[in-house]
Amino acid sequence: MYAAQIDYHRACSLQEAIALLQEHEGAKIIAGGHSLIPLLRFRLSDASSLIDIGRLDELKGISRSNGCVSIGALTTHAELASSDVLKDACPIIPEAAAVIGDPQVRNRGTVGGNLAHADPGSDLPTVLVALGAEFRVAGPSGDRLVAAADFFQGLMSTALGNDDVLTSVEVPAAQAGQGMAYAKYIHPASRYAVVGAAAVLTASGDTCSAARVAVGGLTPSATRAPSVECSLTGNGLGEKAQAEAASQVANDLGDDLLGDISASAGYRLKMAEVYVGRAVAAAAARTA
Amino acid sequence: MTTRIFSSGIRRREDPRLITGQASYTADIKLPGMTHAAILRSPHAHARIKSIDASAAAGRDGVVAVFTGADTEGALNGIPCAWQVPNSDVKAVDHPPIAKDVVRYVGDAVAVVVAESRYVAEDALEHVDVEYEPLSSVTDPKKATADGAPQLHEDAPGNQAFHWTVSGGDAGAAFSEADVVVKDRIVHQRLIPNAMEPRAAVAQWVGSTQDLTLWSTSQNPHIARFLMSVVTDLPEHRIRVIAQEVGGGFGSKIPFYADEAIIAFCAMRTGGPVKWVETRSENYQATIHGRDHIEEVELAATRDGKITGVRAAVWAGMGAYLSTASTGIPTILHGLMYAGPYDIPNVHGDVYGVFTNATPVDAYRGAGRPEATFLVERMVNLLADKLGMDPVELRRKNLIPAFENGHDVSTGLTYDSGDYEKALDMLMDSIAYQDLRRDQAAARSEGKHVGIGVTTYVEICGLGPSQVAGAVGFGGGLWESAIIRFHPTGKVNVMTGASPHGQGEETTFAQVVSHELGVDVDDIEVLHGDTDTSPMGWGTYGSRTTAVAGAAVALGARKLKEKGKAIAAHLLEAAVEDIEYDDGNFFVKGSPDQSKTIDDIALMANVAWNLPEGMEPGFESTTFYDPPNFAYPFGAHAAVVELDPDTGQISLTRYVAVDDCGTQINPMIIEGQVHGGVVQGAGPALWEGAVYDDGGQLITGSMMDYALPRADMVPEIETMSTDTPSPDHPLGVKGIGETGTIASTVTVYNAVMDALKPFGVDKLDMPLTPERVWRAIHHGNGS
Ligand SMILES: Cc1cc2nc3c(=O)[nH]c(=O)nc-3n(C[C@H](O)[C@H](O)[C@H](O)COP(=O)(O)OP(=O)(O)OC[C@H]3O[C@@H](n4cnc5c(N)ncnc54)[C@H](O)[C@@H]3O)c2cc1C
């Protein structure tokens, strides 16, 4: 597959990137290229020019301060997977990043591109929704913070405007008594999530004092699972309680479920229960 | 002087250039003035072409020419099928290289754009205006034979490409007298071969001399030259086909494709060299697929487990046209193997080749034999279930006893040599079968589900005696040839007509010559793949290269040994009968210091100062070898799987392969062939399958949807071997290229079905996707 003719600009600063987006109608940011280039090659994107942000150091790196971790948009999946800061502060992110695609994809693909592309099979949106992360967005009229749950607005659609750049992801660091886990049903061909389930649980003593659970893969975009959370909160974290909670997930996913030849929507729904159960069980085990 | 290199796993000499990126593939070719072609392919599974307007495309900047089917009228003949299988009625339907009136599958060529760059050509494709009238289509080979099904070719009523039968003994009587009969419907889904390198072609036409050179990703450049001459009417000696580095084929680069004829046509019309490299998406649509069988099978047996008969009706999807070797695959390479390694006296098979609105089907690694092995091995397991016997015991009871030189089988074949039970014994020991069964039972009682599959198989390869090729309707010979040329310095070139493309014969053939003549293996260079410099040969496929071309090399080396003895006798003033040879030295019997080395001989033969009276100068042999029989490798494989009943996911946790390919030249290369083959066969059992929707669109159009096995989806493959020499081959070798694929699909399948037994599931279609397995567990049989 060969892409159609397209213009290319390399931005030297964030401001320039935004200016270039404004200047060139139909322009698109290119970061790792691992979602955009396939679209261009299949001639499924109408982008008329590319603004390359790949060399903007200001969008790179992971740092921790005041109970919050900031992840630059250009951080690659491989960097997430191997980050000691994240393993300590937010271990579910490295856990999920390590099962994204394959080594090539992890070496090139970036957090920002993953979130901006908002593929329903992506892993990071599910994890970041469960964590209650916020995304920093820079646009022509300045910076703003968008909650993860508000950022994803449906199938491959986000709160980003045409001239916006996602600059970083802000995640709260784990607190005492918290356990978090991501369970992924890997698509046998694409390696995206057929179903992905993220659970962030807080235990005090034998009870679950707080639960945040999100599911992706089978819904148009990452989705919180309030029924599951509700069922968990205030209860014990035994096997039975976990299973009972996981069985609630169907109530949270709506009717618009995705399926393909390798896994139908109906089957995915059943698997959502299984994988939520697994994520909850693993997270519960880590609360200790 | 030489280290022991025969039967030793020396490293492949092909690898350094491959892994350092210095190998030169067809796609790497750059010629002065070269233009680039892109082929417009039908988006419809079946449609009438009402009109084509290429003027807008032709007028674009950088576009050199646009050609449609009408332009090829009178210049290109139809693409032939080269296998007119006997006991059948093969319909030679017309296959125009570029569709003229009707397109018959998604991917059928409709037009070609030649431009200054591939990008310009691709952009121009969007400006070729084709008006289609869509017709109804069918991709299922059984449905295509139903009354009222869409019809593909006027000359093939009912879409029947052919009906072929195989019969041995009296199957009718066997079934009416049987104590037990088991039946099954087996579906082999379509597979996409996925060679690492897609196809490519570069054509150069020199008008002044009327010479056509085609660089092509072919497994058999001489066949490509032959068929190019048939399609273009150019004389064969004016055509040169070069298959330089070829990045795998798995059978998909055997056929002569319309695309090669189209690119040659473009070069002839534009007068300059033209290049075309297939994209991966194009490869999925326009390069042949494999398998596509629907089979109704039954097995007859006595109450105590003696198999008395096998009967099968097979609908084999051929796709829209008959590809080069397509008709031979579900017939000769399939139906003749219905007895497997067992003594089954009565066999009957009806195979219906069926046209469908899908990519043509042809040989894909194993080609017909994985399906045959599956058919036999699946039925044996069903019989074991029905009789309440252990499936391994049932196999033992029916295996053909050991034989060294020929065993006649009810299908008409004569297996060469075999000791099937020995391979099975080795496998049983290695996996500790009884313990494994005990562990399985224990695991089940703890709610863990393990499955075990065991296969015994024999396959037919080393294609094959040319007389038989003629008798079974193959449009060519199946012999091979070798030239062994010693240079004055004692260095050697070996030229073969076979065309290795990943199998490692540059290494193994050098080992053969080194073994026979005591030349250091590094002093031997093996050349292949160019019809101007390689001797005539029929190519690399059907696990035949070492079995047939390797024999030519061994015999050619032995001819030189004889000539060497005569020269040594002359130089040492001894009688020829008194000259002995050992490891590169020719010496007088009893006085080893009176000797000449192979280097001395090569020098003297080349300078010819002092040769025996009447002897021709030179130290070179040309050998043609036509094998007296096919080769029949065999073995026993086992797979262990774990099933997760909550999700239906299967993990393949262990795979053990015992293969017997006769004498081994390079055990490391053999191991590699088995590893790759096993994984390639496990693919369709668990993951792979090409899927068309109801409108004939290929849904699995890319690797994002078509699930290939990956390294982390398979365990370390354990390999072992017995070595029962072929009685026919001068070195005793058979073939190993396909055994893994032939045995592993059903081994893995049977292992999964074994794991599913406690759930009462005994029937499921491949691939055994988690959803299918999960549904079967929760809702019973069926897919
Ligand atoms: C074979 C394969 C397997 C994969 N498997 C998985 C998987 O298992 N799980 C998973 O989560 N993902 C998977 N991916 C997707 C992968 O994670 C992508 O790399 C990622 O989704 C996109 O990141 P990128 O940097 O490559 O973005 P690009 O392709 O460069 O861009 C993607 C989109 O985001 C926009 N964009 C990029 N950066 C920004 C920014 N900073 N601000 C605003 N817009 C921006 C672009 O304009 C474009 O629209 C897979 C991809 C491939 C090719």
Side-chain angles (χ1 to χ4, degrees), chain B residues 192-229:
Chain B
I192 299 180
N194 276 297
M196 204 184 292
E197 176 207 28
R199 289 184 297 125
V202 177
Q204 183 173 38
W205 172 249
V206 180
S208 57
T209 59
Q210 302 278 296
D211 281 320
L212 175 72
T213 303
L214 178 77
W215 287 264
S216 168
T217 51
S218 176
Q219 299 180 216
N220 28 250
H222 290 93
I223 293 183
R225 180 181 63 178
F226 184 0
L227 294 179
M228 181 64 94
S229 135

Side-chain angles (χ1 to χ4, degrees), chain A residues 135-285:
Chain A
F135 302 161
R136 192 172 295 282
V137 177
S141 48
D143 267 22
R144 63 186 195 276
L145 271 176
V146 184
D150 301 331
F151 183 83
F152 300 106
Q153 302 189 333
L155 193 74
M156 304 181 96
S157 133
T158 69
L160 287 174
N162 285 342
D163 303 334
D164 284 341
V165 179
L166 177 62
T167 56
S168 70
V169 173
E170 315 291 331
V171 249
Q175 287 151 15
Q178 243 180 14
M180 46 183 78
Y182 183 63
K184 177 178 183 180
Y185 182 137
I186 296 180
H187 190 284
S190 73
R191 294 272 164 135
Y192 277 94
V194 169
V195 170
V200 181
L201 307 183
T202 315
S204 48
D206 286 341
T207 38
C208 175
S209 55
R212 295 183 62 98
V213 175
V215 179
L218 76 167
T219 46
S221 61
T223 307
R224 277 281 287 278
S227 314
V228 179
E229 294 172 353
C230 209
S231 170
L232 287 165
T233 313
N235 287 315
L237 275 170
E239 243 174 68
K240 226 176 131 224
Q242 291 171 12
E244 169 58 27
S247 72
Q248 302 297 314
V249 70
N251 302 327
D252 298 329
L253 302 178
D255 300 330
D256 188 7
L257 297 182
L258 308 175
D260 68 2
I261 54 160
S262 95
S264 68
Y267 170 68
R268 287 184 194 218
L269 185 57
K270 293 290 180 187
M271 292 307 106
E273 186 179 327
V274 174
Y275 279 79
V276 165
R278 290 178 182 182
V280 166

Side-chain angles (χ1 to χ4, degrees), chain B residues 757-769:
Chain B
K757 252 188 218 162
F759 301 97
V761 178
D762 62 6
K763 176 153 186 46
L764 265 187
D765 283 346
M766 294 185 287
L768 298 168
T769 58

Side-chain angles (χ1 to χ4, degrees), chain A residues 21 27-39 50-51 53 59 73-75 77 96 99-102 105-106 108-119 121-125 151 160-161 164-167 182 184 186 189-193, chain B residues 704 710:
Chain A
L21 282 169
K28 267 196 162 299
I29 295 282
I30 184 160
H34 266 52
S35 291
L36 185 52
I37 289 179
L39 290 183
L50 299 179
I51 315 296
I53 57 168
L59 302 186
L74 280 180
T75 309
H77 306 319
V99 291
I100 291 178
D102 49 41
V105 173
R106 294 195 288 275
R108 295 291 308 174
T110 67
V111 177
N114 189 293
L115 301 176
H117 190 64
D119 192 290
S122 280
D123 299 296
L124 297 179
F151 183 83
L160 287 174
D164 284 341
V165 179
L166 177 62
T167 56
Y182 183 63
K184 177 178 183 180
I186 296 180
S190 73
R191 294 272 164 135
Y192 277 94
Chain B
M704 294 303 263
R710 308 196 190 198

Side-chain angles (χ1 to χ4, degrees), chain B residues 421-711:
Chain B
E421 193 152 16
K422 186 172 165 190
L424 181 59
D425 287 341
M426 182 180 271
L427 180 75
M428 292 297 99
D429 283 353
S430 155
I431 62 172
Y433 182 67
Q434 298 305 338
D435 298 348
L436 206 54
R437 285 285 179 205
R438 260 196 303 278
D439 295 349
Q440 177 185 36
R444 261 179 202 166
S445 63
E446 290 167 22
K448 280 176 68 181
H449 294 276
V450 171
I452 303 162
V454 173
T455 292
T456 42
Y457 78 91
V458 59
E459 64 117 336
I460 177 171
C461 72
L463 317 181
S466 298
Q467 241 188 351
V468 178
V472 300
F474 183 66
L478 283 171
W479 49 267
E480 282 303 328
S481 61
I483 296 171
I484 303 177
R485 178 176 300 156
F486 272 74
H487 305 296
T489 53
K491 312 293 180 206
V492 185
N493 278 133
V494 177
M495 275 77 90
T496 170
S499 199
H501 46 282
Q503 297 83 353
E505 277 90 0
E506 290 175 30
T507 307
T508 49
F509 284 8
Q511 287 180 272
V512 170
V513 173
S514 174
H515 171 67
E516 293 288 337
L517 292 172
V519 182
D520 196 288
V521 73
D522 292 328
D523 291 339
I524 304 162
E525 175 81 4
V526 178
L527 306 172
H528 56 82
D530 181 343
T531 57
D532 266 12
T533 54
S534 309
M536 180 64 195
W538 298 91
T540 287
Y541 43 82
S543 303
R544 68 186 300 274
T545 302
T546 308
V548 187
V553 171
L555 294 177
R558 289 176 194 176
K559 278 189 199 167
L560 288 177
K561 197 182 288 175
E562 290 315 308
K563 182 167 184 174
K565 278 184 185 170
I567 296 170
H570 176 71
L571 296 176
L572 297 167
E573 297 179 345
V576 173
E577 307 78 61
D578 291 335
I579 298 295
E580 296 210 319
Y581 166 86
D582 182 46
D583 196 19
N585 282 301
F586 298 86
F587 56 92
V588 181
K589 203 182 289 178
S591 35
D593 42 327
Q594 264 190 286
S595 72
K596 293 285 169 193
T597 65
I598 187 87
D599 281 3
D600 298 336
I601 302 287
L603 180 61
M604 184 53 76
N606 271 296
V607 296
W609 291 331
N610 183 11
L611 290 180
E613 175 98 31
M615 179 182 275
E616 289 178 10
F619 204 48
E620 170 166 334
S621 66
T622 299
T623 309
F624 296 86
Y625 176 78
D626 203 346
N629 192 2
F630 296 95
Y632 295 90
F634 61 88
H637 285 204
V640 181
V641 300
E642 275 173 32
L643 160 68
D644 176 351
D646 291 343
T647 61
Q649 288 163 349
I650 306 290
S651 46
L652 180 55
T653 53
R654 194 162 177 211
Y655 199 96
V656 187
V658 178
D659 295 287
D660 189 320
C661 62
T663 310
Q664 303 202 350
I665 298 171
N666 186 319
M668 182 199 68
I669 289 181
I670 287 171
E671 199 186 338
Q673 289 290 322
V674 174
H675 282 197
V678 164
V679 174
Q680 211 157 0
L686 297 176
W687 307 291
E688 280 185 58
V691 179
Y692 284 97
D693 71 9
D694 289 343
Q697 295 294 329
L698 183 63
I699 304 179
T700 50
S702 83
M703 287 181 189
M704 294 303 263
D705 302 297
Y706 186 88
L708 285 167
R710 308 196 190 198

Side-chain angles (χ1 to χ4, degrees), chain B residues 155-167:
Chain B
D155 300 341
N159 293 322
Q160 185 167 304
F162 61 84
H163 170 204
W164 175 85
T165 55
V166 57
S167 258

